[in-house]
Amino acid sequence: MNAHRMLELAQALAAAKSRQDVPAALKLCHPDMTLEAPPFGTAAHGPAENERALTRFFASFPDYDVTLEGHAVGDGTLICWGTVKMTMTGERFGVTPGGRRAELPVFIQFSFKDDLIASELFSFDLSELCAQSDVSTDAVRRTLFGDLARARR
């Protein structure tokens, strides 16, 4: 797949997710799609898990908006960077957010198969998200990772 098509797919996915349009996002994804978000310790595989993961994510961040500002291509992989804006809501992370909208740098790595997105690795600074959301990073990490968060100190 050429670089132009890879970027076109990534931009279409970013636009669908910024609208919180799960069906449109899933149409861009290969049936074997893997969506990883290391800051949250999550990985979703296949259409059903990806649908659940995106629905849950948008429930936690209903105003999610991502802007892709740059990219690099190599050997079937697309790396994008940009800015994500989102407000943490609810108590999914074991905390009560302050209601401020966070604005963070984001790094996204994509791979492709059969003219669709085969994988997405979505990464950002969890500590910065927590700081801008007026919540404790330690409390969020304990919710996400349990005792593992304490053991890593």
Side-chain angles (χ1 to χ4, degrees), residues 1-152:
M1 177 181 305
N2 70 45
H4 176 77
R5 179 64 178 148
M6 286 189 268
L7 184 59
E8 182 179 75
L9 286 167
Q11 289 172 329
L13 184 62
K17 288 182 176 182
S18 291
R19 294 188 313 268
Q20 293 77 49
D21 187 343
V22 174
L26 293 174
K27 285 181 185 176
L28 299 164
C29 298
H30 192 274
D32 297 329
M33 167 73 169
T34 297
L35 170 60
E36 293 180 79
F40 295 135
T42 60
H45 308 282
E49 283 186 23
N50 277 285
E51 181 177 13
R52 281 191 299 275
L54 290 173
T55 300
R56 185 174 187 205
F57 180 82
F58 295 139
S60 299
F61 302 99
D63 63 349
Y64 172 86
D65 184 43
V66 65
T67 303
L68 303 180
E69 297 161 357
H71 69 278
V73 178
D75 205 22
T77 299
L78 173 70
I79 306 294
C80 293
W81 55 89
T83 303
V84 63
K85 298 176 185 174
M86 55 191 185
T87 305
M88 185 186 292
T89 62
E91 296 189 8
R92 169 183 171 192
F93 301 105
V95 295
T96 302
R100 272 196 314 150
R101 191 169 197 208
E103 184 171 331
L104 312 162
V106 65
F107 163 89
I108 309 168
Q109 177 179 324
F110 298 97
S111 69
F112 303 86
K113 183 178 179 182
D114 300 331
D115 202 43
L116 294 167
I117 297 171
S119 69
E120 176 186 353
L121 186 138
F122 179 79
S123 194
F124 59 90
D125 185 336
L126 180 63
S127 294
E128 186 59 27
L129 171 64
C130 291
Q132 290 187 39
S133 300
D134 300 320
V135 298
S136 163
T137 302
D138 288 340
V140 170
R141 285 189 177 138
R142 276 192 300 278
T143 298
L144 292 172
F145 303 105
D147 291 333
L148 182 60
R150 284 189 209 105
R152 288 186 175 167

